[in-house]
Amino acid sequence: MKQLIILSVILMGAVSVSAQDVAGFVGRQMQAYPKSRLLDIYKSCFQDYMGAEHLVTDRQRVKAYLDDELNSTTLDDLQPWMYEPCGAEGNYVRVSIRTIKEGIVSADHLLDAFIRSANQGKHPSVERWRDRWHAIVNVIDTMKLNLPNEAADKHFIDSILSAGKYAISHSPEYREAYHPHYRIVEQGIFDREILPLIVKWHARMKRNKGSQLPGVVNPNALKMPKADPYKKKFTDLQLIDNLGSHLTR
């Protein structure tokens, strides 16, 4: 506990992130995705900090890639949730392409939200992200997770950061176990444009299916404090229960 408090002070002073929040997020990540490697935790954290991996300049290319994913997957291939926060701070959200297949959002709408999220503002520097990651991994070290290939993954991540890069793919184990198919959307865009559509869909389906309806958010994911405009810390499903009937009127 003393070590975690010390790391919290370091994190708060250097990169404005709580060690307790990091530990909570990583614990939930491992609960939801027990086959995760350090590579996958890293990917979640950098997505939350940096957003999409690159600026999008060719809409037709990213549309073709999304169309290919939609055509090559079925609902059975996808995780049951519609979205989950990327990391400990709730800056970005992973929106599953299940939202398209369930008819909640159109492919063009999700694509547009993804492109605007990728292109808005300036991406933080790799140097700032490297400092933040080093602080995050120090917290992970205190958790004694015994992740597979941890030393090799740590070395690989350090090598790409030293080369001025930051983007990596999910580990083969993660891809094989969980078949990730999602798009990264900035939290504000998600709250304004996509979450209300999910809430309406969930309320409508709940009336039809009742208790048989699966959750729309990864139940092990960290709550997203920025999702509530009144600053009350609803969890995602509490938000749906509170707003669902109002938004479907």
Side-chain angles (χ1 to χ4, degrees):
M1 176 62 72
K2 183 177 180 181
Q3 189 175 7
L4 193 61
I5 293 172
I6 293 171
L7 286 168
S8 291
V9 173
I10 295 171
L11 281 160
M12 291 294 288
V15 291
S16 302
V17 62
S18 162
Q20 202 166 24
D21 287 345
V22 170
F25 166 73
V26 172
R28 288 177 173 87
Q29 166 97 8
M30 296 309 300
Q31 185 177 2
Y33 306 109
K35 294 188 180 296
S36 293
R37 288 168 46 178
L38 186 65
L39 298 176
D40 304 299
I41 297 173
Y42 171 90
K43 187 174 180 73
S44 295
C45 293
F46 93 67
Q47 285 177 334
D48 190 45
Y49 186 64
M50 305 287 276
E53 297 178 10
H54 307 287
L55 295 177
V56 177
T57 58
D58 187 343
R59 181 185 178 90
Q60 290 307 310
R61 183 176 180 183
V62 293
K63 183 180 186 305
Y65 190 75
L66 176 59
D67 289 343
D68 182 64
E69 275 188 83
L70 290 168
N71 292 331
S72 62
T73 58
T74 67
L75 286 173
D76 290 339
D77 296 325
L78 304 173
Q79 293 292 313
W81 49 265
M82 301 298 175
Y83 67 98
E84 65 178 1
C86 288
E89 297 179 77
N91 295 316
Y92 289 87
V93 181
R94 290 173 172 173
V95 181
S96 172
I97 65 171
R98 175 178 283 272
T99 56
I100 299 173
K101 287 186 170 289
E102 295 279 13
I104 299 170
V105 300
S106 68
D108 282 340
H109 190 171
L110 182 56
L111 183 68
D112 182 64
F114 165 71
I115 292 173
R116 281 184 286 127
S117 298
N119 292 347
Q120 69 174 14
K122 291 183 66 176
H123 284 207
S125 69
V126 175
E127 290 75 19
R128 286 182 61 190
W129 164 241
R130 181 180 59 206
D131 291 343
R132 183 175 291 248
W133 170 248
H134 287 161
I136 290 170
V137 84
N138 284 340
V139 176
I140 295 172
D141 287 343
T142 69
M143 299 176 71
K144 309 295 184 185
L145 296 175
N146 297 315
L147 297 167
N149 303 299
E150 186 169 2
D153 287 352
K154 196 177 290 187
H155 176 75
F156 172 73
I157 292 167
D158 285 343
S159 69
I160 66 164
L161 291 173
S162 296
K165 302 175 183 178
Y166 62 86
I168 65 171
S169 299
H170 280 295
S171 69
E173 294 87 348
Y174 187 101
R175 292 197 301 270
E176 176 66 25
Y178 308 118
H179 309 288
H181 294 282
Y182 56 79
R183 291 298 180 272
I184 302 297
V185 177
E186 187 271 331
Q187 181 74 61
I189 293 173
F190 173 79
D191 290 345
R192 292 189 300 272
E193 300 181 19
I194 297 178
L195 180 59
L197 299 177
I198 295 174
V199 170
K200 288 182 180 180
W201 175 86
H202 185 270
R204 184 173 68 251
M205 297 299 288
K206 190 174 182 179
R207 288 197 302 270
N208 295 336
K209 295 186 177 181
S211 60
Q212 298 179 15
L213 183 65
V216 299
V217 63
N218 182 345
N220 294 317
L222 187 67
K223 64 188 177 183
M224 295 190 291
K226 295 182 182 178
D228 175 34
Y230 301 104
K231 308 302 181 185
K232 297 176 183 177
K233 292 189 176 180
F234 288 114
T235 65
D236 297 281
L237 293 180
Q238 284 174 327
L239 185 64
I240 287 169
D241 287 340
N242 279 275
L243 299 183
S245 59
H246 170 72
L247 291 175
T248 52
R249 291 173 186 168

